Each structure stands twice: as structure tokens, then as C-alpha cells.
Amino acid sequence: MFQKGLKGIVAVQTAIASVEGDKGDLRYRGQLVHEATEGKSFEQTAYFLWYGHHASRTELATMTQDLLSYRQLPDYLIAIAQTLPIETSLMDGMRTLVSAYQHAEFKELKSQQQAIALTAALPVMTALLYRKSIGQEFIAPRSDLSHTANYLWMIKGEMPTPTQTEALETYLNLTMEHGMNASTFASRVTISTESDLSAAIVSALGTMKGPLHGGAPSGVLELLDEIQSPERIKTVIEQKLAQGEKIMGFGHRVYRTEDPRALLLREKCQQLQQKDAWLNLAVLAEHEIIHLLNALKPGRALYTNVEFYAAAIMRSIQMPPELFTPSFSIARVVGWTAHALEQQQDNVIFRPQSEYIGN
């Protein structure tokens, strides 16, 4: 049977996550995503996806210490980053550094520890490459900050506020895993050949780079930039709809109801909106846009997708647009490694057939 793009074809059985688009359900390890992530840190959510149960205090302390220990990049890796051409994109640079992350200590680790090491190292690699791209010195990681706060510290060189850390951590937790998406499938295909975990993550990063998958939600930023103020929401949206333009941040390929990640990011924005004018604009804009879409496009069931509030949160913490997809990858590496580890446990190499249609 031929199915273009493998749409609807089941190739993997997994216990990591499930996506039910018709119901608007996303589950981590059988738990609705809001139950699995509510009040949880990045470290706690990652542990749950990797191990299948919520960490005890001792288990969390051990894993957190492991993450801290792997924040220090080997000197040779920093040297490689410094030799890359200045025009190298962040995603290309991340692939290069992950591919080179094959030092003796890493190779001796068991697969689960390698997953932790890659998750700890990827934000440091990203910050190193970003600082180089803007002509500024690399900022070394700190051992007294959480995974999320340390990433913001390395990017900006200033201590993030609790509001900034909370907003970004919510985004990271909600985008760690999303079923058999393109980059996750790429990681499982690579590891199924009995290649190494770094190679699987390089494959995933290459897939994430594509604009059809991990492209930054720049369209949402452009929309909110055009709106500028609550008073202009109705005018801008009516004008776009009259011209037949797509309203960025609304509608999703999988979900036929509200994207559960968008719902949770909205809740976080509502909690923080009085502290940030940009989040306040996003919350007000969504309400008015949904009202106008229902009135002017009845029966279309266009709901807010995760990109809308992801863009709002990223803008509120002054995250540069070029860091959107790398930051997405910093979250999703947990899902990629979880799937790669699961593939190793009951492995069969992926080998689909093709249908010849030439002469």
C-alpha cells in the first residue's frame, strides 16, 4: 500500500507520548500534558519522559547533578565552534557540535547517561554559537542555576527574572515531546541502524531545521508587531481576512480542536500578562481574533495553535527570533533521546518499500 508521506501509517509502538488530534489530547506517559507538567521543572518533566515515572526527591537530585556535571563543554568543542564561518546558521552549528561530541568520557557512558549529557550540553552549544554570531564572548554556564535559567543566563549574560524563567520553562516542558513527528521519526530511523545516540540527534536536528517542521513562528511576531496595540486588533484582522490572508498562529495539521499546549501557554500568559505588555497584547489579540474568525469564517473551527503563544512568550523574554528553533530543539532533545532509547530496547531497522513509477 502506498501512502504519500506515510500519513496515517503506524510504524512504531511507543509508551512515551500520544497525540489525539480529534480530542485535543496530548499525553506524556499516559498522563494529560497539563497533569504531567503542572508545577514541574524542566528537570522533573525530562525525568518523567525518560524513566516513565515521576522522580523521587533522591532520584531528581541525582539526575539534576548529572545535568550540572555535563554543562562543561570540552575545550576542543569550543575550539571547533570558534572556527566555524560567521554565517553558519545556529541549527547547522548545533549539528556540527553534536556530531563532534564524541569524546572518550561520553563514549563510555551508558545510553541513558548519554541522553542526559546531550540534553545538558545542547543549550551550552547553542549559547556558544549564538554569542559568536553576534560578536560577543561566550558566557560560561553556572552551577547554581536551573537548566532553564542557566540557558537564559548564557544567552543574555544577565540574571533572568523569575517571570522570564517561568515563562520559558512552561514552553520547554510543553514542547519536549509530541508523538511521531518528523524529527522524532528521523532519530528513531537513525538509531535503528545501531548507530550512536549523537548521530540520532544530528538527524533530528537536521529535520527540525526545515521550515515545515521547526520553523520559527515569525509570522505570529509579524502579526503582533503589525497590531501594536489592543485598539488596532479588530482593524488589522478584518483587513487581513478581507484580503484573504492567513492569520498566523491559528489552525493545526493534527488538532481539530484546541491545541492543549496552546491552552496551557495561554494560561501561563494570563498569569503573567499584568507583568508584561507583550503578553497582555497576545491574550487580548487571541480573544478578538477567535471572535472574528467565528463570525467571518463560520464552520472552519480555527483554534489557536502552539506557535501563537510560543511567539508571545519568546518575545516577552526578549528571545531573538534566530533562537526560536534552537530553543525548540533544546526542549525536544528530551523526546528525541527518549524515543531513541525506546527504539534500542526492541529494535528493528526501518526499511519501507518504494513503488517504482519510472519508464
Side-chain angles (χ1 to χ4, degrees):
M1 180 183 73
F2 169 64
Q3 180 61 53
K4 194 171 184 179
L6 300 179
K7 183 177 181 180
I9 302 297
V10 176
V12 167
Q13 290 182 318
T14 180
I16 298 169
S18 63
V19 183
E20 296 184 67
D22 292 340
K23 295 181 180 179
D25 278 357
L26 169 61
R27 294 175 184 266
Y28 287 179
R29 296 287 186 179
Q31 288 191 2
L32 289 170
V33 67
H34 75 273
E35 296 172 353
T37 62
E38 186 176 11
K40 300 293 194 301
S41 65
F42 178 97
E43 291 84 348
Q44 289 172 307
T45 306
Y47 187 99
F48 183 54
L49 282 173
W50 279 328
Y51 294 97
H53 67 272
H54 291 291
S56 68
R57 183 174 299 178
T58 301
E59 289 169 332
L60 182 62
T62 298
M63 193 200 75
T64 299
Q65 186 56 47
D66 288 341
L67 281 168
L68 287 172
S69 69
Y70 297 128
R71 279 183 187 173
Q72 298 299 325
L73 297 181
D75 290 342
Y76 80 87
L77 210 66
I78 297 175
I80 290 173
Q82 298 301 343
T83 62
L84 292 175
I86 191 69
E87 63 270 17
T88 302
S89 74
L90 295 182
M91 293 298 290
D92 288 339
M94 290 163 72
R95 282 195 323 227
T96 300
L97 296 188
V98 171
S99 183
Y101 194 68
Q102 287 290 315
H103 52 90
E105 180 185 345
F106 177 77
K107 288 183 177 181
E108 291 174 0
L109 297 175
K110 294 183 178 180
S111 293
Q112 180 60 67
Q113 285 298 114
Q114 288 188 344
I116 295 172
L118 286 167
T119 300
L122 196 59
V124 188
M125 296 175 186
T126 304
L128 167 63
L129 293 163
Y130 171 68
R131 299 284 295 182
K132 176 179 183 288
S133 73
I134 60 174
Q136 296 187 6
E137 291 293 321
F138 171 52
I139 297 173
R142 293 175 56 145
S143 61
D144 60 335
L145 295 177
S146 70
H147 187 84
T148 304
N150 181 64
Y151 176 50
L152 287 170
W153 158 255
M154 291 186 296
I155 292 295
K156 298 174 178 294
E158 58 187 39
M159 192 65 69
T161 67
T163 297
Q164 291 173 329
T165 302
E166 183 180 354
L168 180 59
E169 191 153 59
T170 300
Y171 168 75
L172 296 179
N173 285 349
L174 292 174
T175 53
M176 277 187 191
E177 169 58 12
H178 201 243
M180 197 50 51
N181 54 81
S183 56
T184 297
F185 184 54
S187 71
R188 291 193 76 134
V189 170
T190 299
I191 208 73
S192 80
T193 69
E194 296 189 355
S195 189
D196 55 81
L197 193 58
S198 293
I201 302 312
V202 170
S203 295
L205 286 167
T207 309
M208 180 68 87
K209 180 187 175 185
L212 292 184
H213 182 33
S218 57
V220 178
L221 288 179
E222 292 169 3
L223 173 65
L224 293 175
D225 276 335
E226 185 175 351
I227 291 173
Q228 293 185 343
S229 67
E231 295 76 24
R232 285 176 44 81
I233 297 171
K234 189 172 186 294
T235 300
V236 170
I237 300 304
E238 285 182 337
Q239 184 180 58
K240 287 185 174 297
L241 291 174
Q243 294 172 350
E245 295 183 36
K246 182 179 178 181
I247 307 301
M248 302 304 294
F250 294 82
H252 193 277
R253 180 178 178 181
V254 174
Y255 294 109
R256 295 297 174 261
T257 181
E258 290 192 284
D259 184 333
R261 300 167 299 171
L263 287 173
L264 296 170
L265 287 174
R266 177 201 297 152
E267 289 178 9
K268 182 57 60 178
C269 288
Q270 288 172 336
Q271 293 170 14
L272 302 175
Q273 70 180 107
Q274 299 307 318
K275 304 176 184 179
D276 187 282
W278 182 263
L279 293 181
N280 184 57
L281 175 62
V283 171
L284 294 173
E286 187 215 19
H287 178 79
E288 182 64 27
I289 291 170
I290 289 291
H291 173 74
L292 289 170
L293 287 172
N294 287 337
L296 300 175
K297 291 183 177 290
R300 290 288 302 277
L302 294 172
Y303 297 98
T304 318
N305 62 41
V306 70
E307 286 189 352
F308 183 84
Y309 278 114
I313 280 180
M314 291 299 204
R315 179 63 176 267
S316 76
I317 60 176
Q318 290 87 52
M319 184 72 77
E322 59 266 34
L323 278 167
F324 282 15
T325 304
S327 297
F328 188 1
S329 303
I330 285 167
R332 189 56 64 82
V333 70
V334 176
W336 294 335
T337 52
H339 276 272
L341 296 174
E342 186 180 61
Q343 183 69 32
Q344 288 178 325
Q345 292 170 7
D346 184 23
N347 186 49
V348 175
I349 189 172
F350 286 91
R351 183 60 173 87
Q353 296 297 312
S354 60
E355 179 180 349
Y356 179 68
I357 59 170
N359 295 327

